[in-house]
Amino acid sequence: MEFTVQQIADYLHGEIQGDPTVKVHDFSKIEEGKPGTLSFLSNPKYSHYLYESQASLILVNRDFEPEKEVKATLLRVDNAYESLAQLLALVEQFTPQKTGISSLASISESATIGENAYIAPYVYIGENVTIGANARIYSHASIEDGTVIGDHFTMYNGAHIYKKCVIGNHCTLHAGAVVGGDGFGFAPTEDGSYKKIPQMGNVILEDYVDIGCNATIDRATLGSTIIRNGVKIDNLVQVAHNVEIGTNTVIASQSGIAGSTKVGRHCVLAGQVGIAGHLHIADGSTFGAQTGVPNSIKTPNQVHMGYPAIPAGNFRRSSVVYKNLPDLQRTVSDLQRKISELEEKINRSK
């Protein structure tokens, strides 16, 4: 498909700086821009590429002011990254989608599949499963008995949903994701071994939830592990049993949340964040990469870093002190030596 700058500007309600008749047919990164492609600039670190890019059209924020001449046509929008997402979603809507149910899929007779579904070969769908309209389920995915799934569901290769889970509308499970596996429940016994505690609950994903590749959401021991509307979970994330994650929280790769912790709304967990169990995390909390959280966070809308997690400002000041510890140690050692020498002189003079 090919669009003019004017057509794109009308769609995004943007302001054109340059030739409105220029046509684009593809996307490109700003540092790899080619004629006929659309790129974007939202991170100031990439600004220097703007003046060299061969892209025909570049989205920029309305308040961006170039330092020198730009060859490409610019389209000023409120948020360049968000506008790019809108365009990519529009293109995806016009991309032909597979439909039909493969004869090589194993589907229980008691399962209900909504209209316009695509179910690939070697998919397994168990008894009394209900799947809404416009589902896309790819090879070697499995959905176990009693699971209920809403409309516009996408499940990629090798993802698995265990029994009696509930999935909302517009949810996506990427390859290898597991929803509803047993929580880590084992009771110690007198002989030092561990006895497994049956995990009788389920997992609930509300609407517009995305689960990344090889992420795991454990079922509750009793009740439900709940992932609220709009939550985005990256690859290789572990969410333990009976956790609840609030609306529009995002969790980056290799993070882990221990059992029964309640994470608030609009929180951000960067890579490799670890949160201990049975905690409450306030709305709007942000945790820098590799932050360890052993205690509840009660104050909303704060940024935390380090282990144990402390406000980011305190962490940065502490980091300066930590970096200077070798020099401080030498200073203290020198002071101790001089004090000892003074004490010896005083003792000799008596």
Side-chain angles (χ1 to χ4, degrees), residues 338-350:
K338 290 177 180 179
I339 290 170
S340 297
E341 291 174 353
L342 287 171
E343 288 177 339
E344 288 179 7
K345 287 182 180 179
I346 292 170
N347 290 334
R348 283 198 301 267
S349 66
K350 288 181 179 179

Side-chain angles (χ1 to χ4, degrees), residues 258-277:
S260 299
T261 283
K262 311 301 181 188
V263 178
R265 300 172 297 167
H266 302 282
C267 293
V268 177
L269 280 64
Q272 297 185 334
V273 168
I275 301 181

Side-chain angles (χ1 to χ4, degrees), residues 33-52:
K34 298 177 182 178
T37 65
L38 178 151
S39 189
F40 77 105
L41 174 66
S42 62
N43 189 331
K45 291 181 179 180
Y46 292 85
S47 295
H48 61 283
Y49 290 115
L50 177 70
Y51 310 106
E52 305 168 2

Side-chain angles (χ1 to χ4, degrees), residues 188-194:
T189 63
E190 293 182 357
D191 64 4
S193 63
Y194 289 86

Side-chain angles (χ1 to χ4, degrees), residues 328-345:
L328 291 172
Q329 184 185 33
R330 282 193 292 270
T331 299
V332 170
S333 297
D334 288 342
L335 289 171
Q336 287 176 328
R337 178 178 54 78
K338 290 177 180 179
I339 290 170
S340 297
E341 291 174 353
L342 287 171
E343 288 177 339
E344 288 179 7
K345 287 182 180 179

